[in-house]
Amino acid sequence: MIAAMPELPEVEVTRRSFADRIAGAQVLAVRLGAPLRWPLGCQPAVLLGRSVGAVTRRGKYLWLPLAPAGPEPRAHRAGGLLLHLGMSGSLAFTEAAALEPAGKHDHFDLVTSRGTLRLTDPRRFGAVVWSPSLDVAPAATLLARLGAEPFDEGLTPLGFHAALRPRRTAVKAALLAGDIVVGAGNIYACEALFDAGIDPRLRCCKVSRPRAERLLASVRSTLGRALELGGSSLRDFRDTHGSDGAYQLEARVYGRAGLPCLRCGAVVRRIVQAQRSTFFCPGCQKR
Ligand SMILES: [Zn+2]
């Protein structure tokens, strides 16, 4: 199986698996393991006694608001943690009785009154970063270049087409870049382009308005289906209940190079675009 990063559906499935369980919990302790992609950005003691609010997601980042307890001294203002799973991270929320001692790949524990949120990340490209809010640095800086959320109604077919038109890059690269719409990581970009019948090498500026509309619908349906199924079943991904996702079982071109297309029977091809594998059907997907 091809190892791949946790993508937006996996992150959202993760969020849904613990957001309700951790809401209202009080932070009792913090354990830091080996350094992650970026430093925490505050003394761990700053987090103690705070209560966890409603966990939200933006792109592949999760935001855990941490409200200060009692009256607010200057050093204990509002704030929260911005979490990213990087290349190989996963989050598990476990009640105290079931928590195992931290292993060598467990690099962050947020111990709360309702259980422990633990980041496991063998490759350590993940991050847990303190920020005073989402609107100021460092959170605002990290989120600044993200495109629209895929299910945001503000992203219209017309707007999507207008964003593609000035670009000369391949349409798949534009999806992966995530600065028009977030969420179409490698597997989902391949599947959405197959669904829309668009050759991944087609330049953005050559995508007609009807095809742009079709592609946006395909991005939405592909991500929507992945969310229903619990994300991709990829080697390093586990949601916080420790179960595999199921999306990869449904992939129609991703990981199927050399096999017959499930729709037309042509041989699915694998090419490399921007150092990432692209899978497509030359029969179904046209320039
Ligand atoms: Zn085909």
Side-chain angles (χ1 to χ4, degrees):
M1 187 171 292
I2 299 158
M5 294 186 279
E7 298 289 355
L8 187 148
E10 290 82 28
V11 176
E12 176 62 16
V13 168
T14 296
R15 187 191 71 80
R16 291 176 185 177
S17 70
F18 77 91
D20 288 349
R21 293 193 290 154
I22 203 172
Q26 193 178 37
V27 178
L28 304 178
V30 176
R31 188 193 62 83
L32 300 177
L36 292 163
R37 182 167 184 180
W38 299 300
L40 181 62
C42 72
Q43 292 299 320
V46 169
L47 309 181
L48 303 182
R50 289 175 177 264
S51 59
V52 183
V55 181
T56 56
R57 180 192 54 76
R58 176 74 178 97
K60 294 201 286 179
Y61 289 91
L62 293 179
W63 173 247
L64 262 79
L66 293 173
E72 299 183 27
R74 278 187 71 83
H76 288 80
R77 286 184 179 169
L81 294 174
L82 196 65
L83 286 86
H84 197 284
L85 300 180
M87 307 284 284
S88 60
S90 60
L91 279 170
F93 185 72
T94 310
E95 276 73 31
L99 188 69
E100 294 182 8
K104 67 171 184 171
H105 297 308
D106 299 330
H107 301 302
F108 179 81
D109 283 353
L110 189 72
V111 183
T112 78
S113 53
R114 298 199 177 161
T116 296
L117 185 67
R118 170 171 289 174
L119 175 68
T120 303
D121 187 359
R123 298 181 66 182
R124 290 196 282 121
F125 284 102
V128 181
V129 176
W130 167 260
S131 189
S133 81
L134 284 173
D135 301 324
V136 300
T141 313
L142 294 169
L143 303 178
R145 296 177 69 180
L146 298 184
E149 284 292 322
F151 299 106
D152 182 350
E153 289 175 6
L155 178 64
T156 63
L158 202 63
F160 184 59
H161 181 239
L164 289 172
R165 270 187 77 179
R167 301 187 183 213
R168 296 186 56 77
T169 55
V171 62
K172 191 206 170 201
L175 290 179
L176 279 190
D179 54 352
I180 299 175
V181 57
V182 298
N186 204 33
I187 179 170
Y188 303 111
C190 291
E191 293 297 311
L193 286 162
F194 174 77
D195 189 63
I198 295 173
D199 188 310
R201 298 164 296 185
L202 182 67
R203 289 176 190 272
C204 294
C205 54
K206 302 287 189 191
V207 179
S208 67
R209 200 172 131 187
R211 296 185 93 192
E213 183 168 353
R214 178 73 199 276
L215 179 57
L216 180 58
S218 294
V219 167
R220 286 175 165 156
S221 62
T222 301
L223 291 173
R225 184 70 183 141
L227 280 173
E228 272 177 41
L229 294 175
S232 292
S233 175
L234 298 169
R235 191 186 62 201
D236 292 329
F237 175 72
R238 298 286 186 278
D239 73 17
T240 56
H241 295 306
S243 58
D244 287 347
Y247 183 79
Q248 179 130 353
L249 302 174
E250 281 205 344
R252 289 179 292 174
V253 284
Y254 189 85
R256 300 193 68 251
L259 297 173
C261 171
L262 298 170
R263 189 190 279 159
C264 76
V267 176
V268 173
R269 284 189 60 195
R270 174 187 173 273
I271 58 172
V272 175
Q273 291 179 290
Q275 287 115 51
R276 304 295 301 278
S277 291
T278 295
F279 297 90
F280 72 103
C281 171
C284 294
Q285 295 174 253
K286 302 298 186 188
R287 292 215 190 217

